[in-house]
Amino acid sequence: MTWQRRHVLATDDWSREEIEHVLETTGAMVEVLGRPIRRTPALRGRTVILFFAEASTRTRVSFELAAKALSADVTNITASGSSVEKGETLLDTVRTLTALGGDVIVMRHPASGAPYFVAERTDAAVINAGDGWHAHPTQGLLDAYTLRDALGDLAGRRIVIVGDIAHSRVARSDIDALVPLGATVTLSGPPTLIPSAWRCGMTPRGTTFEPDLDRALDGADAVIALRLQKERQHAGLLPSIREYAHTWGLSEERVARMRPDAPVLHPGPMNEGVEITASVAHGARSLIETQVTNGVAVRMALLYLLVAGAGAPPEQKE
Amino acid sequence: MLGDLKRDAEKRGLLTAPGFIDLHAHLREPGFEESETIATGSRAALAGGFTTICAMPNTEPAIDSPGLVAELIARGEAARAARVLPIAAITRGRNGKELADLVELAAAGAVAFSDDGSPVADARLFRNALEYARAAGRPILEHPQDLTLSAGGVMHEGVVSARLGLPGMPAAAEESAVARDLALAKLTGGRLHLSHLSTAGAVELVRHAKAGGLAVSAEVTPHHLALTDEWVAGSRALAWEDGGPRVAPFHTATKVNPPLRTAADVRACWAGLMDGTIDAIATDHAPHASIRKDVEYQEAAFGISVFETAIPLLLAGVAAGWGTWERVVGALTAGPARVLGIELPKNDLVVIDPKVAWTPTATSLRSLGKNTPLLGRSLTGRVVAAVVDGELRHELALA
């Protein structure tokens, strides 16, 4: 297929072909990363700006390694707090980023939808590295890649996502990447942390809601545990972290309800002892470190497709 | 002159109606003149067919003293566009803590009271406001919303907010406030008017209260009669349309309070309008300077600039069969006049070309607020002339 997209903002409107094309390209990048010299010249002379308006180490470093492995120049811009607090609006930032002349803006932002705001106002390609509760498309794609690598064809497979679904951009992007590949997704977690519409029978296509985690895990093909933000308890959404860990945490006993060897994923960083026990996190089923490695490859694939893989390659900038 | 204009218009196949009365408009002056002024707002209103508009008091300072009421009236007269009627605050400084001098405000010319945007959360204080408004002979216009339930919300809570990862405002935030307000109206006998109903449940509560004999009234906005929460996700299909063009999601022009609801809620609002549960169509015209909208969705101000696009949206609803033009005109004229307890101004008239296609743009809108999701969209039907007190104050030269 010919790559047509200018931006990666969310994968909610992507076709199966587009997702598979990214996963295939990711496979090629995994091969590059396995070489003694982990570098290709594909993006030489191009500039990737990493604009992170929210704390993140692993995603930012993952993008940085991906861009460098493609020989791109990388610039970091960090900002903290909301635009109102820092006195500079997102519009000001977009103007600055555009003036800097990057080819790609990789951005993380606390406000859902912020990458759309930027994409409408810049000539650069925009990759969403996480916006509010909305989307984290590279995480969804890397989880799809990791699961397909472990399980083969995802058609007919059932993946459980457990935890704070309501506030999770990872859950939304996992659904958007897995369902088009033929998987079904079972959502589980406390009632206050599942969007109300999804608890009332209006779950997204390809998904179901099962509050009882044991039942959700019975015979499942894989599970993705989400990070629990401890401030949810202070917001009155949880009676206690202890109860949460007891009811929706992944233990050895629980994960054994799945099919033999069914893998365990987590986007990180983990609260060991809350949403996952240390023995599961570091046990035989865990693909958590593999996810980190695959993350670099997925991000390489997207950077490559956006800059070099489009139907009409962008003009070389001086 | 009025008779001639009317005959001439009808001969040309145009619609005529008494001047429209808007119970709910934000003119932003004093305090926020970069968003709208009394002069620009009253001209925009006239271009939309509204010859009488009631100005909400959430200005800076809030309209909470007789002197400010008098000043607003004077500025409205000086603008010589739509007739401007002042609504005064219920509480001093709209702080929700102590009542403003409601009797004196009424004597100075306030036609109603409202703390719009900041509903009176304290039920006891709201009870006292209803008692006092009764003594002052004016209605209380209440923005029904339980702020503890809607806190942090930026759109309707439902399937679309779940998909977009935006915090939602549940329908229950409106419905529980409507239920409280109705109970207090019954207790006090004060004249309660509920602003901008937007949910099927709220319409049903008012229907039930009216059937029980309660003297309550309610309004709905043109956008809650046409647009849905899918617009936040990028749809541009009216509630009765399927598919159609899409734009990028998270456009802040769709951010409004109460939020755009579901197609079923839109349908229920039309049903409430048609059976008389809802008395008036009011714009909740809420213009904003671009600096308050050209930001992230969660940080953008609530509000849509409505005056100039209200009539084409309502005509589209009528064309789709969701309501009748006669009822729409009633809800824009006799309905709001009854809420205010005033006579319909005899020498006001609007002329509408129901067939003309036009596209609102930032330059064509007279309002300083360009914040409407209808910008750049082709609309059918436009107000071509408006007469106030026998004076032709708006006339559109059509090509």
Side-chain angles (χ1 to χ4, degrees):
Chain A
M1 66 167 286
T2 315
W3 187 254
Q4 301 284 355
R5 299 216 175 238
R6 273 193 64 213
H7 309 290
V8 179
L9 305 177
T11 49
D12 57 346
D13 59 346
W14 282 28
S15 67
R16 181 186 182 124
E17 289 68 33
E18 286 175 295
I19 291 168
E20 290 196 334
H21 188 62
V22 171
L23 300 189
E24 278 156 31
T25 312
T26 300
M29 296 302 172
V30 167
E31 189 268 317
V32 169
L33 291 173
R35 294 179 196 162
I37 296 173
R38 306 167 19 137
R39 212 172 176 85
T40 73
L43 265 62
R44 180 171 293 154
R46 304 301 188 124
T47 303
V48 174
I49 299 173
L50 305 181
F51 165 45
F52 277 63
E54 191 181 73
S56 158
T57 305
R58 57 181 62 217
T59 304
R60 191 179 55 73
V61 168
S62 180
F63 269 107
E64 185 155 359
L65 289 174
K68 286 181 172 167
L70 295 169
S71 306
D73 297 318
V74 182
T75 305
N76 272 284
I77 293 175
T78 51
S80 60
S82 75
S83 52
V84 172
E85 284 163 31
K86 69 178 189 276
E88 186 188 5
T89 66
L90 185 57
L91 187 60
D92 293 333
T93 308
V94 178
R95 288 180 178 140
T96 305
L97 294 178
T98 303
L100 287 172
D103 296 282
V104 182
I105 297 170
V106 174
M107 66 175 286
R108 166 162 294 189
H109 199 280
S112 295
Y116 293 86
F117 183 95
V118 173
E120 279 190 2
R121 292 165 176 81
T122 181
D123 299 328
V126 176
I127 299 181
N128 180 5
D131 63 324
W133 308 341
H134 171 241
H136 191 357
T138 61
Q139 181 75 43
L141 291 165
L142 83 86
D143 287 349
Y145 182 87
T146 304
L147 284 168
R148 206 164 73 159
D149 202 39
L151 300 172
D153 189 357
L154 294 183
R157 300 290 196 163
R158 190 169 67 82
I159 319 294
V160 177
I161 302 178
V162 57
D164 184 0
I165 312 273
H167 306 97
S168 176
R169 53 193 174 215
V170 174
R172 289 179 178 79
S173 286
D174 278 341
I175 293 167
D176 292 342
L178 296 172
V179 171
L181 296 173
T184 60
V185 174
T186 305
L187 305 170
S188 189
T192 50
L193 298 181
I194 309 288
S196 57
W198 294 2
R199 271 185 282 117
C200 306
M202 291 183 285
T203 49
R205 190 175 60 86
T207 70
T208 54
F209 171 57
E210 172 51 68
D212 184 324
L213 179 58
D214 287 340
R215 256 191 280 179
L217 290 173
D218 278 333
D221 293 291
V223 62
I224 301 170
L226 301 173
R227 177 179 170 79
L228 183 76
Q229 304 281 350
K230 292 187 180 164
E231 52 269 28
R232 302 290 174 232
Q233 187 191 345
H234 304 302
L237 293 166
L238 289 176
S240 72
I241 299 293
R242 186 198 55 75
E243 187 201 67
Y244 179 87
H246 184 253
T247 316
W248 287 285
L250 288 183
S251 61
E252 290 282 3
E253 193 183 26
R254 281 224 167 93
V255 297
R257 290 175 167 271
M258 297 192 292
R259 292 195 178 193
D261 305 323
V264 175
L265 283 72
H266 190 297
M270 288 181 281
N271 294 303
E272 289 182 18
V274 181
E275 69 264 11
I276 191 165
T277 63
S279 61
V280 174
H282 306 290
R285 293 171 183 268
S286 173
L287 290 180
I288 296 168
E289 283 168 29
T290 312
Q291 285 175 277
V292 176
T293 316
N294 290 342
V296 177
V298 163
R299 288 160 185 139
M300 286 171 73
L302 290 170
L303 286 168
Y304 173 78
L305 288 171
L306 288 185
V307 178
E315 285 169 43
Q316 196 76 37
K317 287 187 185 168
E318 290 304 313
Chain B
M1 179 240 154
L2 219 56
D4 290 347
L5 189 63
K6 205 171 160 187
R7 268 190 300 278
D8 183 49
E10 279 159 9
K11 220 180 289 170
R12 288 164 54 203
L14 306 178
L15 300 171
T16 63
F20 299 144
I21 301 173
D22 185 5
L23 291 172
H24 196 137
H26 298 276
L27 300 184
R28 305 300 188 207
E29 182 182 345
F32 306 99
E33 289 84 354
E34 74 284 6
S35 292
E36 194 81 289
T37 66
I38 290 169
T40 59
S42 59
R43 274 183 221 126
L46 212 50
F50 299 93
T51 57
T52 302
I53 53 177
C54 300
M56 279 291 173
N58 56 339
T59 48
E60 186 55 50
I63 308 302
D64 64 355
S65 73
L68 286 166
V69 170
E71 177 64 23
L72 198 76
I73 292 171
R75 290 189 193 187
E77 284 173 357
R80 291 184 68 80
R83 187 182 294 108
V84 178
L85 305 179
I87 299 169
I90 299 172
T91 63
R92 227 175 281 285
R94 297 174 60 252
N95 65 6
K97 294 200 176 81
E98 51 178 327
L99 291 181
D101 299 318
L102 302 188
V103 174
E104 287 179 14
L105 287 164
V111 295
F113 306 107
S114 179
D115 276 2
D116 185 55
S118 309
V120 181
D122 183 324
R124 188 168 153 277
L125 186 65
F126 192 65
R127 172 193 180 169
N128 292 343
L130 282 165
E131 304 271 18
Y132 242 86
R134 191 178 179 191
R138 298 284 188 275
I140 294 269
L141 277 44
E142 171 70 348
H143 170 135
Q145 186 172 11
D146 181 328
L147 297 174
T148 63
L149 265 176
S150 64
V154 298
M155 67 174 294
H156 173 63
E157 180 179 311
V159 175
V160 182
S161 69
R163 192 164 80 225
L164 294 178
L166 285 173
M169 294 189 252
E174 177 168 320
E175 290 153 7
S176 60
V178 166
R180 180 202 78 164
D181 293 347
L182 291 170
L184 293 175
K186 191 172 176 187
L187 175 68
T188 59
R191 270 284 293 113
L192 172 68
H193 172 78
L194 293 162
S195 295
H196 43 55
L197 293 189
S198 67
T199 79
V203 173
E204 186 52 39
L205 283 165
V206 174
R207 182 177 288 126
H208 182 78
K210 283 192 166 184
L214 190 67
V216 61
S217 57
E219 72 190 29
V220 63
T221 73
H223 42 287
H224 291 111
L225 288 171
L227 317 185
T228 68
D229 60 345
E230 286 286 354
W231 281 52
V232 185
S235 166
R236 286 298 177 266
L238 300 176
W240 42 84
E241 295 173 342
D242 285 321
R246 294 188 72 85
V247 301
F250 299 102
H251 202 293
T252 59
T254 62
K255 185 173 172 182
V256 62
N257 188 16
L260 301 175
R261 306 280 187 185
T262 68
D265 292 306
V266 174
R267 186 108 217 182
C269 286
W270 274 106
L273 183 69
M274 291 307 296
D275 71 11
T277 300
I278 293 173
D279 305 81
I281 297 170
T283 64
D284 195 9
H285 174 74
H288 285 295
S290 66
I291 191 168
R292 305 204 57 206
K293 283 290 195 179
D294 220 355
V295 294
E296 300 89 314
Y297 201 88
Q298 273 153 280
E299 299 202 8
F302 287 104
I304 298 178
S305 180
V306 180
F307 280 150
E308 294 160 81
T309 55
I311 298 308
L313 272 192
L314 296 168
L315 282 167
V318 169
W322 285 30
T324 64
W325 178 243
E326 291 66 32
R327 181 64 196 125
V328 165
V329 170
L332 288 166
T333 53
R338 262 197 309 276
V339 171
L340 296 173
I342 61 171
E343 296 285 313
L344 269 185
K346 288 200 171 50
N347 292 316
D348 286 10
L349 181 79
V350 291
V351 181
I352 297 161
D353 183 336
K355 303 250 168 64
V356 65
W358 66 289
T359 303
T361 62
T363 46
S364 75
L365 290 182
R366 284 162 176 78
S367 170
L368 295 184
K370 315 302 180 186
N371 49 300
T372 165
L374 299 168
L375 219 57
R377 178 194 175 103
S378 178
L379 301 174
T380 304
R382 196 172 188 185
V383 173
V384 293
V387 175
V388 182
D389 282 336
E391 183 183 8
L392 182 64
R393 291 192 184 174
H394 171 73
E395 193 174 18
L396 191 70
L398 286 178

